Amino acid sequence: MILGASIFWPALLQNQISADSYFPTLQETIFGWIVGGCCTENLEVSPIVPTLTFTAFEKQSVIDANLQKFWEIEDGDFQESRSEVSSCEKIFCETLRDAEDGKFIVQLPLKEHPIVLGNSKSIALKKLFDLERKLDQNEKFRTLYSDFMREYISLNHMSLVPEGEEDTNPAYYIPHLGVLREGSLTTKLRVVFNASSKTSPNNKSLNDILHVGPTIQDTLFEILLRFREYPVALTADITKMYRQIWIDEAQRDLQRILWREKRSDPVKIHRLNTVTYGTGPAPFLAIRSLNEAALQQKHRYAAASKSILSSFYVDDYLGGAETIKEAIQLKNDVEEILLQRGFPLRKWASNEKNVFQNTSIRTEPFYFNEETDVKVLGIGWIPKTDQFFFKTVNSPTPKNGYSKKNDIIRNVKTF
C-alpha cells in the first residue's frame, strides 16, 4: 500500500520500540505495528510467530528472483503456459456463435475429454443435504436461496433435465452454496458453484480438465488511474454479466446441479445454461465476450468501443469524458453496444448529475443519487465531491484519547 505524506504522518501513533542500531525500529500506527530500519548482515532473527524464521539479508540474486516471481504472480502469468493460452483463445474464436436473442454462445475450453471425469453425483447430493440443514436453521436464507433458484429457472439460465436424459454420459454435477451480502443494493444472496469438487474414484474435477484462460483486462491500478484523469466520471456495472452468455448446448451436461425447494420434494437434476461463476474459465469467457462486443463495433462507435476495452474490470465500468456532452454520448453509445449483446448496464453514477438529464434510461435498476456513497472496485466513492474513501479501517483509541481515524477515512483522496 502506497500512502501519501498527508495520510502517512497522521497515521503514526506515539509508541515506538528501538532496541539499538543493529535492529529495526517498531512503530505503532492506526493500522497496527510496522517495522523499518536496518539489520546486520546474515543475522538470524526469530519473529513472534514461532514456526517462521528469516534471514535479514539475502544475496541480491535471490532477492531478484523473488521479486521476479512476485511480478509474475501479479501479472497472472502463472496460470497457464503460452501454448495453453493460445489454445484457449483459439477455441473461443473457432466456436463463438450468435444466439437468436443476440447474445453470444461459447464453449467451455476443454484440455481433456470429459470422459476422464468420475462420479460426481453422490458428492453433489451430499452437499445438497448439508445445504438443506443450513437452510432449515435460517428461514430468511431459505427464502433468498429459493428465490434465487426460481429466478435462475425463469430466465432459462437453468433448465430441468428431461426424463430419459438423466444418465447422459459424460456429465458433471456441481455442488453449490450461498453467500449472503447484506451490503449489496441489488443481490443479497449469491449462489456459488464449486466446479473444483473432485469426482470419485478419478479424483478429477471439471476445472481440472478446463483451460483457465489468460488475464485480458488491465490491472485495478491502471483502471483507477485512468478513471481519475476524466473531469466527468462515469461508473456502472453489468447485470448478471456471466449469465448473459450462453454455453453451447452440447456441453451443458457438464454443468449439472441438484436442487429441490422442499425436503418433501424429489431431488431434481438441472442444467446450467450460461457461463457459470465457479468454473475456471468463467472470467475469461465473460471478459473475452465483452471485448468481442466492443471489437465488432469499433468502426461505428470508436470512442465507446475503446472505452469498453480499457475501462472495465470484470463487470465494473469506470469511464469518463472531458465534457458533459461527451459523457452523455459515451454513456449512450456504451449502452447501445452492450445491449445488442445482452449486457445491460445498471447503477450508473457520475460526479456530474447533468449527465443523466434528458437521456433515456433504458435499463433497471438505475441508481444515481449525488448524496449517496457508491462502491467503485471495492472502494467507497462520493460522486458529489468526487472523493474516494475507505470504510474498513479499525484501530484502537490511542492513550491520549484522540484518534484521527475518521478524519483520515473521510479525507482519503486517491491520485
Side-chain angles (χ1 to χ4, degrees):
M1 180 168 60
I2 300 176
L3 300 177
S6 62
I7 299 171
F8 175 77
W9 294 112
L12 300 180
L13 300 179
Q14 293 180 344
N15 294 330
Q16 186 182 94
I17 301 174
S18 181
D20 52 46
S21 59
Y22 297 103
F23 291 91
T25 298
L26 301 175
Q27 172 68 51
E28 188 181 12
T29 75
I30 65 170
F31 307 109
W33 288 89
I34 60 175
V35 182
C38 299
C39 300
T40 57
E41 191 171 355
N42 297 326
L43 178 65
E44 294 289 339
V45 181
S46 297
I48 296 173
V49 181
T51 57
L52 297 173
T53 60
F54 67 92
T55 303
F57 283 91
E58 298 179 318
K59 292 184 180 296
Q60 188 63 39
S61 60
V62 177
I63 295 174
D64 290 344
N66 288 339
L67 284 173
Q68 182 177 351
K69 288 180 181 179
F70 171 78
W71 291 117
E72 286 174 353
I73 290 174
E74 283 292 293
D75 289 338
D77 293 339
F78 67 96
Q79 291 179 337
E80 296 188 294
S81 67
R82 288 177 181 267
S83 61
E84 287 177 314
V85 167
S86 177
S87 297
C88 201
E89 173 67 15
K90 182 180 179 182
I91 292 170
F92 179 88
C93 293
E94 291 181 350
T95 61
L96 181 70
R97 295 186 290 125
D98 293 344
E100 292 182 359
D101 58 5
K103 296 182 179 181
F104 289 122
I105 302 173
V106 300
Q107 284 194 8
L108 296 170
L110 292 166
K111 58 183 178 182
E112 289 186 74
H113 195 283
I115 200 69
V116 302
L117 296 172
N119 174 32
S120 56
K121 187 176 181 180
S122 58
I123 299 170
L125 189 61
K126 178 181 180 300
K127 295 294 184 181
L128 176 64
F129 294 155
D130 292 341
L131 171 65
E132 288 180 331
R133 283 190 285 272
K134 294 179 181 179
L135 298 179
D136 289 340
Q137 298 170 8
N138 189 326
E139 189 60 33
K140 178 183 177 182
F141 191 20
R142 174 181 289 281
T143 300
L144 289 172
Y145 213 102
S146 296
D147 289 346
F148 184 96
M149 288 301 192
R150 286 194 208 106
E151 182 195 53
Y152 229 98
I153 294 171
S154 68
L155 296 174
N156 196 33
H157 296 169
M158 176 172 79
S159 56
L160 192 66
V161 174
E163 290 185 15
E165 295 184 25
E166 294 95 336
D167 297 328
T168 299
N169 193 46
Y172 181 82
Y173 292 81
I174 308 178
H176 51 92
L177 54 89
V179 178
L180 284 171
R181 303 185 299 169
E182 296 293 346
S184 174
L185 286 172
T186 50
T187 308
K188 297 296 182 183
L189 176 134
R190 169 175 287 175
V191 174
V192 179
F193 300 94
N194 180 17
S196 293
S197 177
K198 302 293 185 181
T199 61
S200 62
N202 303 34
N203 200 36
K204 283 200 172 187
S205 69
L206 176 61
N207 280 343
D208 288 335
I209 65 169
L210 294 174
H211 293 290
V212 174
T215 300
I216 54 177
Q217 283 185 323
D218 291 334
T219 65
L220 283 167
F221 185 70
E222 291 170 312
I223 292 171
L224 280 170
L225 273 178
R226 280 197 295 270
F227 180 62
R228 300 306 288 159
E229 292 178 354
Y230 302 117
V232 183
L234 284 170
T235 68
D237 69 41
I238 299 173
T239 305
K240 301 177 178 64
M241 179 181 181
Y242 289 12
R243 289 162 54 187
Q244 306 300 348
I245 307 158
W246 300 111
I247 289 292
D248 194 300
E249 289 186 5
Q251 294 184 323
R252 292 178 185 177
D253 282 313
L254 296 177
Q255 296 190 154
R256 287 186 175 186
I257 68 164
L258 301 176
W259 172 245
R260 62 181 177 185
E261 281 201 23
K262 302 176 183 177
R263 284 181 178 268
S264 57
D265 296 337
V267 176
K268 296 180 180 179
I269 303 172
H270 295 81
R271 298 183 182 110
L272 303 180
N273 301 327
T274 62
V275 170
T276 298
Y277 184 80
T279 56
F284 168 77
L285 291 173
I287 295 165
R288 184 64 181 82
S289 297
L290 182 71
N291 289 354
E292 186 67 22
L295 291 170
Q296 291 180 358
Q297 295 291 335
K298 65 180 181 180
H299 298 299
R300 185 179 179 188
Y301 300 104
S305 175
K306 181 179 178 181
S307 185
I308 292 170
L309 291 169
S310 63
S311 301
F312 266 97
Y313 189 82
V314 191
D315 59 347
D316 290 317
Y317 175 69
L318 281 78
E322 293 296 320
T323 66
I324 292 176
K325 182 179 179 180
E326 290 176 357
I328 292 172
Q329 186 65 53
L330 178 66
K331 172 190 172 295
N332 291 338
D333 290 349
V334 167
E335 275 193 312
E336 182 67 30
I337 292 172
L338 296 185
L339 277 175
Q340 289 179 18
R341 290 301 182 178
F343 293 117
L345 288 162
R346 62 177 181 176
K347 293 194 287 188
W348 281 99
S350 175
N351 58 339
E352 289 285 352
K353 63 180 179 181
N354 292 329
V355 169
F356 303 111
Q357 292 182 358
N358 302 320
T359 63
S360 59
I361 301 168
R362 314 180 209 180
T363 55
E364 293 292 344
F366 180 95
Y367 297 100
F368 176 75
N369 185 336
E370 59 181 325
E371 304 295 338
T372 302
D373 304 341
V374 296
K375 279 189 177 180
V376 176
L377 300 180
I379 303 172
W381 182 48
I382 309 172
K384 184 177 181 179
T385 57
D386 200 11
Q387 288 180 298
F388 284 116
F389 65 94
F390 301 88
K391 290 184 177 180
T392 57
V393 178
N394 293 306
S395 64
T397 302
K399 293 180 180 179
N400 60 12
Y402 174 74
S403 173
K404 291 189 176 181
K405 176 188 71 172
N406 291 330
D407 292 341
I408 292 172
I409 293 173
R410 299 306 302 182
N411 290 297
V412 169
K413 290 186 180 180
T414 50
F415 321 121

